[in-house]
Amino acid sequence: MNTIQAAKRGYTQDKDQLLKRLRRIEGQIRGIIRMLDEGKSCEDVVTQIFAARAGMDKVAAEVLKCHITETLTEKPPEEARESVLRAVALLNRI
């Protein structure tokens, strides 16, 4: 995908916020690794795992929301319908 195509993506207006959230999650993952290495309690480790997972769920939901918006505005109705249904199926996994 070239730069022009990437600039068209709906999430680009929120890209800085998404990247900030992903960097925070990346730090949480490094923290989890450190906690395991240091032998921290299972409860503390699991708490951090769930926090990182919740952050990823929020990022996924935002990107999927952008995908649905793009799909509904740029694709023919039947193609849009199928794409949105696939996106909803993905959301159900979150």
Side-chain angles (χ1 to χ4, degrees), residues 45-68:
V45 173
V46 169
T47 298
Q48 289 305 309
I49 290 169
F50 284 138
R53 192 167 94 181
M56 287 299 295
D57 289 347
K58 288 178 183 179
V59 171
E62 185 62 32
V63 173
L64 279 170
K65 182 179 87 173
C66 293
H67 167 69
I68 290 169

Side-chain angles (χ1 to χ4, degrees), residues 20-83:
K20 181 179 176 181
R21 183 170 284 167
L22 287 168
R23 287 186 184 102
R24 188 177 316 123
I25 294 164
E26 181 181 35
Q28 287 174 308
I29 300 300
R30 283 193 305 271
I32 293 166
I33 292 168
R34 190 170 41 256
M35 291 173 77
L36 290 172
D37 191 43
E38 295 171 357
K40 299 292 183 182
S41 77
C42 294
E43 184 178 355
D44 291 343
V45 173
V46 169
T47 298
Q48 289 305 309
I49 290 169
F50 284 138
R53 192 167 94 181
M56 287 299 295
D57 289 347
K58 288 178 183 179
V59 171
E62 185 62 32
V63 173
L64 279 170
K65 182 179 87 173
C66 293
H67 167 69
I68 290 169
T69 301
E70 284 179 5
T71 297
L72 292 175
T73 59
E74 296 176 6
K75 295 189 183 223
E78 188 56 35
E79 190 177 335
R81 178 183 177 281
E82 293 301 317
S83 184

